[in-house]
């Protein structure tokens, strides 16, 4: 499926990064999250679908002001997630993390029985996903590219409850909304960005 229009929701391709850099949850949380949401709702499924490694950036959580401040501070000190690897042909992919002792220990501590998909001296690939285009869970009028973790290869605890949705917001730039399923409903918990290599 191809979008009906060329997508470029911002005159400034660096806007997502600048919003993330100026985010101060105790000061401008609502404004920044509203702009991310506005950009997301103006996007469309990627065209073409992503293929290969796409570097990523964590932008913000959208859970609760004090918690968002904590996660933002932590992510600025340590963020092992590096992006996502897509296989356009199979509509599957995997997350890529920096290969470091801290990353391995964190994975082992949170998911003791989980084994990453692949590992090299430079990175760890973990938490595979499947892709499809469908209406957004919270934005049913927006067609999105779903990144679905809810299958047996992923840990039941936490990961299978996450659903990422991405839209293209500029050529080679994607905005992702992170959703969490609880009690049969999805709740927005954050945003991330991806870019073509």
């Amino acid at each position: 499926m191809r979008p009906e229009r060329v997508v470029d929701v911002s005159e400034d391709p660096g806007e997502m990064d600048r919003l993330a850099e100026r985010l101060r949850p105790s000061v401008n949380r609502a404004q920044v999250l509203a702009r991310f949401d506005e950009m997301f709702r103006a996007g469309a499924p990627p065209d073409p679908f992503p293929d290969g490694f796409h570097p990523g950036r964590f932008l913000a959580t959208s859970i609760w002001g004090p918690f968002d401040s904590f996660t933002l501070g932590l992510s600025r000190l340590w963020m092992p997630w590096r992006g996502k690897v897509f296989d356009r042909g199979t509509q599957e992919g995997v997350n890529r993390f920096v290969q470091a002792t801290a990353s391995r220990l964190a994975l082992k501590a949170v998911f003791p029985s989980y084994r990453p998909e692949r590992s090299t001296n430079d990175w760890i690939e973990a938490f595979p996903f499947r892709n499809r285009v469908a209406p957004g869970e919270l934005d049913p009028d927006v067609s999105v590219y779903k990144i679905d973790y809810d299958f047996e290869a992923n840990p039941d605890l936490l990961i299978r409850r996450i659903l990422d949705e991405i839209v293209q917001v500029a050529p080679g730039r994607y905005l992702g909304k992170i959703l969490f399923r609880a009690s049969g409903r999805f709740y927005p918990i954050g945003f991330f960005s991806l870019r073509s290599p």
Side-chain angles (χ1 to χ4, degrees):
M1 177 192 301
R2 298 175 64 85
E4 298 174 3
R5 65 190 190 283
V6 175
V7 178
D8 197 351
V9 304
S10 172
E11 294 178 7
D12 178 3
E15 182 181 4
M16 287 185 297
D17 292 328
R18 272 193 295 289
L19 283 168
E21 287 161 13
R22 72 180 184 87
L23 174 61
R24 302 292 177 270
S26 62
V27 176
N28 60 4
R29 175 181 183 270
Q31 175 191 14
V32 171
L33 293 178
R35 180 57 182 148
F36 283 146
D37 205 51
E38 180 183 29
M39 292 174 74
F40 184 87
R41 291 187 47 75
D47 182 20
F49 292 152
D51 196 37
F53 176 63
H54 281 57
R57 179 178 182 179
F58 166 78
L59 298 174
T61 54
S62 57
I63 299 169
W64 175 53
F67 181 79
D68 294 350
S69 292
F70 171 77
T71 58
L72 182 64
L74 180 62
S75 72
R76 288 178 175 167
L77 293 173
W78 183 65
M79 176 47 67
W81 179 71
R82 291 295 183 249
K84 296 180 185 291
V85 182
F86 294 88
D87 185 325
R88 185 183 299 154
T90 63
Q91 294 293 283
E92 296 175 339
V94 69
N95 286 277
R96 184 172 286 177
F97 299 85
V98 66
Q99 171 71 295
T101 301
S103 298
R104 288 193 307 275
L105 290 176
L107 272 175
K108 191 75 168 164
V110 178
F111 308 106
S113 62
Y114 179 72
R115 301 289 174 262
E117 301 295 304
R118 286 177 288 282
S119 182
T120 72
N121 290 335
D122 298 322
W123 42 258
I124 298 169
E125 290 183 346
F127 312 129
F129 52 79
R130 296 172 178 160
N131 304 119
R132 68 186 185 283
V133 173
E137 292 294 331
L138 302 180
D139 307 284
D141 56 328
V142 179
S143 190
V144 303
Y145 197 54
K146 293 185 183 269
I147 298 173
D148 191 351
Y149 301 95
D150 191 14
F151 58 99
E152 63 286 343
N154 287 309
D156 245 349
L157 174 68
L158 187 64
I159 300 301
R160 290 183 65 169
R161 293 177 176 267
I162 293 174
L163 175 66
D164 293 335
E165 296 179 338
I166 64 170
V167 292
Q168 184 174 334
V169 296
R173 299 296 304 259
Y174 313 97
L175 177 59
K177 185 181 283 192
I178 309 164
L179 306 177
F180 187 78
R181 188 180 71 248
S183 303
R185 292 183 55 201
F186 282 98
Y187 298 88
I189 63 169
F191 290 94
F192 64 93
S193 65
L194 296 169
R195 61 179 173 80
S196 294

